[in-house]
Amino acid sequence: MQIQQVRLSDIQTVSSSELEPKKLKALENSYDSFESQLNSQRNPIALDRGAGKPYQILDGRHRVYLARKKGYSSVPATFG
């Protein structure tokens, strides 16, 4: 599993209405910083490049949403 930087503009957009508020709050208020959760080697964001761009999110919708909200331009992710 190789982790690489992927531009957020190449990843599907996630609306806040699709997300669980509890999970967003947990990510923002966790003991671990958002940065460390975003760069997790054990639980990386997983994308599907099957249909091309924008890549579909397999795992990590809440992290992708927050990364956009916080002004990130790319995130570390794997392709499944």
Side-chain angles (χ1 to χ4, degrees):
M1 161 175 57
Q2 182 179 351
I3 297 175
Q4 57 189 359
Q5 287 294 316
V6 180
R7 292 178 4 185
L8 282 168
S9 60
D10 292 341
I11 301 173
Q12 77 180 100
T13 302
V14 179
S15 148
S16 62
S17 64
E18 301 173 55
L19 303 174
E20 295 179 38
K22 282 184 177 181
K23 284 188 178 182
L24 286 175
K25 195 170 192 174
L27 278 171
E28 292 183 302
N29 299 317
S30 173
Y31 176 75
D32 293 327
S33 70
F34 176 69
E35 182 77 21
S36 68
Q37 293 176 72
L38 188 62
N39 290 296
S40 172
Q41 298 274 329
R42 291 181 311 190
N43 185 27
I45 293 170
L47 305 174
D48 178 11
R49 71 170 98 200
K53 296 177 187 175
Y55 303 127
Q56 300 297 303
I57 303 168
L58 300 174
D59 186 35
R61 301 175 73 73
H62 294 78
R63 286 173 284 167
V64 168
Y65 173 82
L66 283 177
R68 278 198 175 99
K69 186 176 169 187
K70 292 177 179 285
Y72 287 74
S73 59
S74 65
V75 293
T78 62
F79 287 95

